Amino acid sequence: MKNCLECEKTINGRSDKKFCNDSCRNSFNNRQNTASNIYVRNVNTLLRKNRKILQNLLPESGKTSISEKTLKVLGFNFEYFTHVYETKNGNTYKFCYEFGYLNIDKGVLMLVKKS
């Protein structure tokens, strides 16, 4: 006789069955996945927050300049971005999905949207 991996009740049915019902299977898998994905979920939350801040500050024209301090006050975290784009002339843009920024002067950033 086998016992359910979640509630440890005796399992009836197929010999390879691991759970007594769908509820136990879901609970077991949710608990397993939650523990292993906490870091990824936290990083994705930070990236989405950064993206939303950039999106809200960027005008329809697609470019603007803003102080680094302003972004920090709004909760922007400069340690998290999705990718880096380096231009031929050596400028390095950091992007949060399609919204990015370039350090153009000490403490001044240019915000852009990738087209």
Side-chain angles (χ1 to χ4, degrees), residues 6-51:
E6 180 66 17
C7 69
E8 298 186 9
K9 290 181 184 174
T10 302
I11 299 175
N12 296 319
R14 296 186 350 217
S15 62
D16 63 341
K17 202 170 175 183
K18 297 179 182 179
F19 305 99
C20 60
N21 58 40
D22 287 340
S23 177
C24 281
R25 179 180 47 82
N26 287 334
S27 295
F28 180 86
N29 288 325
N30 286 340
R31 190 174 55 257
Q32 295 293 333
N33 292 333
T34 299
S36 64
N37 291 328
I38 289 173
Y39 177 76
V40 173
R41 195 170 332 136
N42 289 341
V43 170
N44 283 336
T45 300
L46 289 168
L47 289 170
R48 283 193 307 270
K49 181 178 180 182
N50 280 354
R51 180 190 179 276

Side-chain angles (χ1 to χ4, degrees), residues 58 62 83-85 95-100 111-115:
L58 205 58
H83 62 286
V84 174
Y85 176 73
F95 280 88
C96 290
Y97 302 101
E98 76 274 29
F99 299 100
L111 306 182
V112 296
K113 182 178 180 183
K114 196 173 190 180
S115 52

